Amino acid sequence: KTGRGGRRPPARKPAGRINVIEAGRGHACRATLHAHPQNHSPSLAIDPDVRRLHLVWDTEDLRICYRGLDVERLRTRTVPAEDPTWLWIYCHDPDVASNGREIVVAYSDHMNYMKYCYHDGATWQSDKHLTTLNPRFKETIDFSPWLWTDADGVIHLSHVCLTRCLVYDSRWLG
C-alpha cells in the first residue's frame, strides 16, 4: 500500500516494545528486550568499558523492570528472549547508571518520593528510601531522577522538586 503522493506510510511499531539498536559504520544490530504492550520510560546506561548495557523501564501497572545485555551478544544477534528482572512495584520514571562495579536505579514511588535500588555484584538491594531519610526533603514532592557517572566513575543522582525551584545532587557512596 502507498499513502498520499505514492509514498509508503511509516511502519508502525507495536506499542510498548523495548528495543535496543546499535548502529555503527556499515552495520546495525537490533534486539527486542521485552514486548509487553504497557512498557514506558526506558532508560539506558553503558558500562565504562562498553561491554554491557543496562536498561530500565516502568510498566503501566507501575513495576520497575531491568534487563542487562552484553554488547557482543547484540552484535552477533544472539540476544536471548528472557523476562526482565522486576526491581520494585508501585513506582515510575526510572533511571539507571553503572560504573562497571555497581548498577544503581532510581525512581519515583507512588507518593512521589525518591527511592532507589542497586546491584552490588551479587544481588539486588531494593526499596531503599532516598528522599525520605532527611526531614528537609519531606517538605516537597521529588521526582524525575537523573543518574550519571562522572569521569572518576562516581555515580551521581540529580532530581528536582515539584516547584522546580530546587535541584538536588548527591554522590553514590556505595
Side-chain angles (χ1 to χ4, degrees), residues 155-173:
I155 296 173
H156 294 256
L157 166 70
S158 299
H159 62 93
V160 298
C161 69
L162 183 62
T163 62
R164 292 178 174 80
C165 294
L166 301 170
V167 176
Y168 299 102
D169 178 62
S170 58
R171 293 178 61 152
W172 172 253
L173 300 176

Side-chain angles (χ1 to χ4, degrees), residues 6-160:
R7 292 180 293 175
R8 289 187 177 271
R12 294 187 182 260
K13 301 279 187 211
R17 187 171 284 186
I18 301 294
N19 294 305
V20 62
I21 299 171
E22 180 196 36
R25 293 183 184 150
H27 78 280
C29 306
R30 177 182 166 274
T32 298
L33 298 185
H34 198 243
H36 194 277
Q38 297 178 341
N39 291 324
H40 302 283
S41 308
S43 183
L44 170 77
I46 303 171
D47 281 350
D49 63 6
V50 194
R51 292 185 181 183
R52 190 149 175 85
L53 306 174
H54 306 278
L55 290 100
V56 294
W57 64 90
D58 62 354
T59 63
E60 189 137 318
D61 57 353
L62 300 177
R63 295 179 189 268
I64 302 296
C65 299
Y66 166 83
R67 178 96 190 265
L69 177 66
D70 291 328
V71 173
E72 193 57 37
R73 293 196 94 166
L74 176 64
R75 289 181 180 152
T76 60
R77 294 180 171 90
T78 57
V79 176
E82 58 188 46
D83 289 332
T85 301
W86 285 1
L87 299 179
W88 200 246
I89 57 174
Y90 307 122
C91 296
H92 52 91
D93 300 325
D95 197 17
V96 60
S98 173
N99 59 13
R101 297 176 310 279
E102 301 164 309
I103 306 162
V104 179
V105 177
Y107 39 87
S108 302
D109 79 354
H110 67 288
M111 297 300 289
N112 289 330
Y113 290 112
M114 302 294 297
K115 289 188 174 186
Y116 72 98
C117 61
Y118 66 95
H119 192 272
D120 59 9
T123 60
W124 282 100
Q125 308 296 320
S126 297
D127 195 33
K128 305 293 183 185
H129 295 268
L130 186 65
T131 57
T132 56
L133 295 177
N134 189 319
R136 76 180 184 146
F137 290 119
K138 290 184 178 180
E139 300 170 3
T140 185
I141 298 175
D142 304 307
F143 62 98
S144 299
W146 174 47
L147 290 165
W148 52 282
T149 306
D150 66 19
D152 296 322
V154 176
I155 296 173
H156 294 256
L157 166 70
S158 299
H159 62 93
V160 298

